[in-house]
Amino acid sequence: MTLNRRTFLSTSAVAAATLAAPMVRAQGKPRVVVIGGGAGGATAARYIAKDSKGDIDTTLIEPTRTYYTCFFSNLYLGGFKTIDEIGHSYGGLAAAGVNVLHDWAVGVDRDAKTVTLAGGGTLNYDKLILSPGIDFVDMAVPGWDISAQNAMPHAYKAGSQTELLKAQLKAMPEGGTFAMVAPPNPYRCPPGPYERVSMVAHYLKLNNPTAKIIVADPKPKFSKMALFQEGWNNHYEGMVDWVGEDFGGGNVSVDHAAMTVTIDDEVTKVDVANVIPAMKAGRIADIAGVTDGNWAPVNAADMSSKMDPDVYVLGDASQQGDMPKSGFSANSQAKVCANAVRGALTGSKVFPAKFSNTCWSLIETNDGVKVGATYEATAEKIAKVDGFISQTGESADVRKATYEESEGWYAGITADMFGAKA
Amino acid sequence: MRALAAYLAAAALAALPALADPGDVEKGQKLFQQCKSCHQIGAGATNRSGPHLNGLFGRKAAGLDGFRYSKSFQRAGAGGLEWHAETLDTFLENPRAMTSGTRMSYRGLKNAKDRTHLIAFLRQYSDDPANIPEADPTAQGIDHDLDPAILALVGDPEYGAYLSGECTTCHQAAGGDDGIPSITLWPEDQFVVAMHAYKTKKRNHPVMQMIAGRLGDEEIAALAAYFKDLEN
C-alpha cells in the first residue's frame, strides 16, 4: 500500500487550482500592490515576496514608519508593556524583498489597474490587496467626531492615540471617573474594549483606587462576557459599572468641551472619555469601490472582492462571514490570499483555504483568558467549524499559562507579519 | 486497502485486555526495575534524576516542589494534566506523545498488559486503593498505538509549508519558545504522534486540540515533513 501526499493532491486540491491558468505576461514580472501594513497586509506582502522568491514584484504602501500593534496595546495601558515593545519597523519586510513605500494611497482605478499616491506617484498592479483596517462611522456617537479625538481619544488605532489615553489616565484626579463608550457590532477586536476596561482598572487599583469606570455599551452582551465579569468582580470589585443595552447604554451622547457623557438622559461629568465609535472599512476600500455598506464583501475561498477578481480585501475591512475582526484573523486570511495570488500569477500550487483565530485577553496580572475557533470556506462565506473558550473558575495556574501563551503568540505573530528581527 | 483496515481493526480489538483487569503488582514490580535508576518509590524515596513516585496518583504533572521539570512538563501541568491510571497509561506507552520535550529518555512500554502491571505497582504507593477504589481505579491499559499506516505516510513538504501558516501565527518559524513551544526541527514520527494525541484529545490543550482536530492524516504528515527540516 502506498499513500503519498503527491498522488493524493493530484486528484483533489490541485485539480481545482489548475483550472485557472496562470496569468500570461508579455513583459516583466507580475506586480502585486498591498495597501496597509498591519496584520493582513504585512503578512500578505511578506508571504508573497518570500514564497515567490523574487518572481513577483511586491509593493507595500503604508504611511507609518513604525507600526504599533492594536493587539497588546491595552497591556501598554495597564503597564505590562512599553510602547516600544508594541512598535515594529518595516525593515524585515524590505529585507524579505518587499518594496516598502511610506506613503498614502489616495486613489484606485480598477479599469486602468493603478493606485495613486498622496506623494504624487502612480503604481500599476496585476493584483491589488487592500488591508486598510478600520475607520469610524461619522456621527455614530452624537457630539463626537474625529476633531474631538484629542479631548476624547478612541485609542482604537494604536500609537499616539494610545499614548494620549495613557497620559489622560495617569492625570486623572483621585476618585475620578473614566468613561468608555463601547462600539456596536461588528467592530475590530470583539474582546478589546473589555480587556481595556480590565487594564484601566488594573492601573487605577494600583494608583487611584477610589476611581470609577463607567462603560456605556449599545450591546446586550459582549465577547467573553462571563469571563470578564467574573474577573472584574474578583479583582476590581465595585470599580466597574457596565451599562448595557437594557439599561440605555446605546442611548449615548458626549460633549467634549464640557467633558460630559450622557447615558439614557443622565449626564455624567467625567475625567477621561474613551469614545470608540461604530466602525467601517478603511476609507481606501470605499474609494476603490469595493464596499457594500460599511464593509467590503469577499469570496471565502481566496479573499477576493465580490466586486473585482483582481482586488482582495483582508482583515477588519472585509466582510467574510463568521471570523471576528482580529489581527489573528487578518494574518490567517493573508496567508490564504497570498497562496491564491501567487498561484494566479505564477502558476504555483494553490491549496484549499483554511482559517483559524484565537483571541487572548488579560484581565489582571497573570489572569489570561482566550477564545478561538477554526473556519472553512463555503460558497457563501467563511464558516465556523469548531471553537473553544476559557472557562469561568479556572485555576490560577491555567490562567497564568494562558497569559504566558499570549506572550508567545505575540512574538510569533509579529515575526510572521514583519519577519524575524534582525 | 479494505482488507488491511479490517485486519488492523481486528488487531486493535484483540489488543484490548479483559475489562477491569486490575494488573499484577508483582509483574509490575519486575517491570519497575527499568525505571529504578532514575525514579525512587516507597519509604524514604527522594528525587533523583527523575522525581520520586510516591503519591503519584492524583498528582499534577510537574507537581512536586523542588524538582526541576522540563518546560514541556510544566506546560502539561499548567494545562491540567494529572496522573491517574488512564493518563499514566497514555504517557507510559509513548512519553513524547504527551510531553514532547520531556527529559526522560525512556522510549515507552508498548505492551498494554505490561503497562497495566506497572500502573498496578505504582498504585501501591499512592493512597491505599482499598480505601478509594473508585477514585483512582488501577484500570487496565488501553492500547493507544497509532495505526502504523498513519506513521508510514510520506508527507509533502510543499503542502506542509502552506499548512504551516496556521502554526506560525503562534509558533515562531525561527524557533523561539517563550510561552509557546518551538516546533521546528521536530523528528517526523514524534510530530505525527503528538498531533494525533491532540486530535484524539489524549493530550491537553484547547487550541491544539482544535487545530489538530481538523487536520487529516495526510496533512499531519505534510506538516511533519515540513517542520523536520525547517531552519531559520
Side-chain angles (χ1 to χ4, degrees), chain A residues 27-38:
Chain A
Q27 53 186 10
K29 291 181 192 174
R31 287 158 303 191
V32 171
V33 173
V34 182
I35 300 178

Side-chain angles (χ1 to χ4, degrees), chain A residues 1 3-6 8-9 13 46-47 50 328 331-332 335-336 339 342 348-349 351-358 360 370 372-376 385-388 395 397-398 401 404-416 420, chain B residues 1 4 60 75 77-80 149-150 152-174 177-180 201 205-211 213-222 226 232:
Chain A
M1 186 174 77
L3 285 173
N4 180 298
R5 176 79 241 161
R6 288 179 182 86
F8 169 77
L9 272 179
R46 182 169 163 269
Y47 270 70
K50 165 174 84 73
F328 198 126
N331 170 269
S332 173
K335 287 180 267 197
V336 169
N339 183 253
R342 200 160 56 84
S348 63
K349 272 192 202 169
F351 298 103
K354 254 183 179 213
F355 304 95
S356 55
N357 176 63
T358 301
W360 287 265
K370 60 186 170 184
T374 53
Y375 304 85
E376 64 185 7
V385 177
D386 188 18
F388 69 89
S395 73
D397 282 351
V398 168
E404 286 168 357
E405 189 179 281
S406 75
E407 292 202 296
W409 163 76
Y410 186 88
I413 191 173
T414 51
D416 205 36
Chain B
M1 175 89 179
L4 177 72
K60 201 179 73 171
R75 282 195 193 103
I150 290 175
L153 289 176
V154 179
D156 173 2
E158 190 185 351
Y159 188 40
Y162 167 69
L163 292 170
S164 75
E166 197 163 32
C167 314
T168 54
T169 304
C170 300
H171 299 276
Q172 295 176 56
D177 71 344
D178 297 328
I180 288 182
K201 302 197 193 297
H205 196 278
V207 180
M208 285 311 304
Q209 288 181 353
M210 179 183 81
I211 296 291
R214 67 163 180 168
L215 289 174
D217 299 346
E218 299 274 355
E219 292 172 322
I220 289 174
Y226 173 70
N232 187 20

